[in-house]
Amino acid sequence: MAADAASASARTGRLGTDRIRTAALAIVALSVLWRAQVASGGFLAADDYVMITQAAESNLTVEHLLALYNNHLMPGGRLLTWLITEHVGMAYWPYVLLMAIGQAILGITFFRLLRRLLQPSWLLLLPLGALMFSPLTLEATSWWAVGVNMLPMQIAMVLAVGAQVSYVQTRRKRHLVTLALSVLLGLVFFEKAILVVALVFLLTAALYAEGGFFRTIWTTIRRWWPSWLLLTVLSLGFLAAYLGNSESSLRRPASAGEVFSFLTQMLGSTVVPGLVGGPWQWLGAGDGAPVAAPPELGTWVAWTIFVALVVATVRRRRRAGRAWLLLGSYLVLVAAMLAATRLGSTFSGVAGGVPRYVSDVVVVAAICLGVAVVGLARPSRFAGATEPPTVDTPRTTPMALPEPRDGRAPDSGVPQTVAAPSATAPPEHPTAPPEHPTAPVLAEAVRTGRPARVVARLGVIHAEAPVDPEPDPASTTAPDVTPPTASVADSVPDAEAGAVRAPDPVVEPHPSSSPDAGDASTAGPPPRDADDRPTGPDRRPPAAAPSDPLGPPPPGLLGPLPERYREAVNVMLALMLVAVCLGTVWTTSRYSDEWAVKSSRSYIDTVRIEMASAPPDTVFFDAPVPDNVVPSLSWPYNLQSRFFRAFGTRPTYVDEADHVSVLDALGRIQVATIVGSTIQPGPQEGCGYLVASGQTVRMPLNEPRDDWHWVARIGYLSSADGTATLRFGTGTAEFPVKKGLNQRFFRIVGGGDAVELTVAGSDVSLCTNEIAIGNPAPKPE
């Protein structure tokens, strides 16, 4: 109890709060506020309007929720969009709020994962900051159409990995339920979340299985088969439902050069620069998010930093190599999926430079960075442990007990408490008893259960394991040194043998969750350097001071670096970290500038102002909104009548009227005219073409028109009221004729190089020299 209290006190500040957790929450809060500020500077864009229009036109039904959008299955996103559209309308702030909440959830859950996955260290803040501030995830926190897909997927990745790690450490079945629910969460919002299944398998194999490639795969499948059985059933069920309703979006790349260009662009211009604070420069893409366009020098610097980090961490700990291999494997999956669905299309030339396509990679990169820099947490002592040691629990170095001199294995009948060796002074130099006696060091197995079998090997008593560590040759050839004697807290004579009861066995970790053998911080005997070796008869390492119950801290990022290089390397690492942070700030600021330029926002604001002051009888012909608001590829959802569906007060659209207005590119209401083909001047002076009642007159156009949906305008002078019929190729349109000088706008479907006009009515004659067929446009001033 006293030792636990001291450990907890060492981990907390004066106010009793966890300082690492406090710093992590501050990082998450700063990221959320900063990202919300960047997002609020922009507005809705492109696909957002299509999703809002579809929500405004539909009821909340299963058919609407399960309908594919651009071949994406996203019922969760459709539900959220429908609720906001129904109750708020075309507003942006609810989406900013939801994305901020998603970013906060992602940060908190990711920090919890780091605390379970990695060793306790201030370095945990590095992977957390890398995820929270990575420029590659800016689109996911500012553009709703991206965030509604990617944020749930990222959260699902973190939750699924955390559930699998918990299952590996504890073997509790409830973590399998959490694993399945986490994957389902991602799939409800984005079908790409199927990659979470692959990520969980790859991470388990890379971090928790040993051996070569085939042995690692087989061990992973055999040891944690319940996870794979559950995920396989879940994946097959989802794929059957999705592929049965979707259209194939697979494409074939035009050439090998296109694939090579895509890969170099994705890795060289997007992923690697984005992981170290880039790309520093953006290429505008209209109202949508900008595309990464790093300078060539920046790309080389990014690759230098990334390669240096990989080499340094791999040289320091063997597990780091597997972590970076995990990142590379996931990148291969993402690149394959993108190449199969994006190459061979109109936009394949920039597919590798779109950060949203690889924003999920940042989660994997942050996990791998944490494993490589901090190291894996100490696992459970054996598979049957009821609860793994938490990352906050101070770790003491397992003590190797000597083998009895008579060669007999000690009795392992009943687990006992092993006291940590104390530096007992010789009789001729008595010492006072310590003021704070050292608490007994309990092996995890003693606290949680009894191992099935205990064996002794090379002076170490440990639990039987499928793979035992090989003996260290140095230990067998070392000079004869009197082995240290272990103090036993309860040295009670054995009633039958008349001997002192053997110390408790120290349990070695089970290979299923073996600690990182290559980590500098892995539990093991302390180094026996000449400077640290006691000079007295007791050659045991000195015990930790009572004021430091945690003992010596684990090595930092530098590891066992010679002292003469440590200061220079510290300065270099600090400068590199500062450069990455400054680059991130610069990149985010440049993104914020690009995102703040929104044509659709000014267009919508102007339309609202104009409609509020327009006469009640103002009517419009339906027409597309400007391409920089909604691209024409989104037809028919780029039509004004559908774009403004979620407006509280929206324009009135007609197919025929005497006076029509149009919205210009800025959203202002203008008097309409027709831009297109016009009839050639008529032969009658002062009349043009004279059309008497019951007659049909042919009027040639100055240029032909293809068969399409057109709007016609006729300006005429009529002697009386009646009706007229205009024929244009295969299309006809009938409209009323009023006495006097008038005009009429109406829709017609057809094509050709001439029109025919017929007038019906008693004693009606009509003169016209103004017939135009084309599209509505603002009338010139």
Side-chain angles (χ1 to χ4, degrees), residues 248-253 259 262 333-345:
S248 176
S249 57
L250 297 179
R251 293 184 174 92
R252 178 176 298 178
V259 176
F262 162 74
L333 294 177
V334 172
M337 178 175 288
L338 289 176
T341 57
R342 293 293 183 265
L343 297 187
S345 65

Side-chain angles (χ1 to χ4, degrees), residues 9 96 121 153 164 169 246 304 312 349-350 382 395 430 482 515 539 542 589 592 597 607 747-748:
S9 175
V96 175
S121 169
M153 178 179 173
Q164 177 63 14
Q169 292 175 343
S246 66
T304 301
V350 295
F382 60 95
R395 300 184 185 86
T482 304
R539 294 176 178 260
S589 299
S592 180
V597 179
V607 170
R747 290 192 175 277
I748 189 169

Side-chain angles (χ1 to χ4, degrees), residues 396-456:
T396 55
T397 303
M399 179 178 61
L401 301 179
E403 187 175 352
R405 294 173 181 262
D406 56 3
R408 293 178 301 157
D411 181 17
S412 57
V414 181
Q416 299 291 329
T417 301
V418 180
S422 59
T424 305
E428 60 269 24
H429 300 289
T431 58
E435 184 176 355
H436 302 287
T438 304
V441 178
L442 299 179
E444 182 72 17
V446 175
R447 293 196 296 268
T448 58
R450 179 185 300 178
R453 186 158 60 97
V454 178
V455 298

Side-chain angles (χ1 to χ4, degrees), residues 68-73 190-192 242-243 245-253 336-345:
L68 299 181
Y69 174 71
N70 285 347
N71 222 23
H72 296 312
L73 180 61
F190 198 14
E191 73 282 350
K192 187 184 178 182
Y242 171 69
L243 297 178
N245 296 322
S246 66
E247 298 178 359
S248 176
S249 57
L250 297 179
R251 293 184 174 92
R252 178 176 298 178
M337 178 175 288
L338 289 176
T341 57
R342 293 293 183 265
L343 297 187
S345 65

Side-chain angles (χ1 to χ4, degrees), residues 580-603:
V580 171
C581 293
L582 292 178
T584 301
V585 172
W586 175 266
T587 301
T588 304
S589 299
R590 299 287 71 77
Y591 177 91
S592 180
D593 295 340
E594 292 286 345
W595 181 248
V597 179
K598 286 288 175 288
S599 302
S600 61
R601 175 174 52 196
S602 59
Y603 180 80

Side-chain angles (χ1 to χ4, degrees), residues 457-506:
R457 178 183 293 183
L458 298 176
V460 179
I461 303 175
H462 59 88
E464 178 68 5
V467 180
D468 262 328
E470 294 297 330
D472 185 359
S475 63
T476 60
T477 59
D480 187 14
V481 178
T482 304
T485 59
S487 300
V488 181
D490 295 325
S491 300
V492 183
D494 192 296
E496 296 178 4
V500 177
R501 189 165 52 192
D504 230 85
V506 176

Side-chain angles (χ1 to χ4, degrees), residues 89-90 604-605 607-608 611 643-651:
M90 190 179 288
I604 291 173
D605 291 343
V607 170
R608 282 175 169 159
M611 288 301 302
F643 179 82
F644 294 119
R645 186 68 181 265
F647 264 48
T649 301
R650 62 194 185 98

